[in-house]
Amino acid sequence: EGLLMPPERALPQMPVARLGADQVGAFADGRAVYLDAPPTGSCLVRDADGRFWGTGAVDPQTGWLRPHRVIAPAPVVADA
C-alpha cells in the first residue's frame, strides 16, 4: 500500500466531467450519458464526491459522454 498512484494522476491535463448518481450507474454499465455542460473531447470522469470512475469522450455535436475505460472506485469502508 502507498506504492501505487491513482490512475487519474497519469492524465492530469484532461478535463473532468462530473456525473450525478444516476449518470454514474449508466456510465459504470458502459452506457453513454448526456451532459448539459460537457467538456470537450476526452475527459476524466468523476462522481459528485470526486471519486474517479474512468475516462470517456464527449461528442461535441450531441453532448453525450461515451465511456472509454471504466474503473470503479474502491468501496468506502468505515472504521470499525
Side-chain angles (χ1 to χ4, degrees):
E1 191 174 329
L3 298 177
L4 296 176
M5 293 188 331
E8 68 268 28
R9 289 214 27 217
L11 306 165
Q13 73 284 2
M14 290 180 82
V16 175
R18 299 248 180 215
L19 304 183
D22 56 331
Q23 293 172 309
V24 167
F27 183 86
D29 287 341
R31 292 180 280 143
V33 295
Y34 178 76
L35 301 177
D36 288 325
T40 303
S42 295
C43 59
L44 301 176
V45 177
R46 295 185 179 276
D47 64 18
D49 295 325
R51 290 181 296 236
F52 177 68
W53 280 87
T55 60
V58 175
D59 181 332
Q61 302 289 335
T62 64
W64 284 88
L65 169 67
R66 301 198 186 289
H68 275 171
R69 298 286 182 263
V70 177
I71 303 170
V76 177
V77 178
D79 293 334

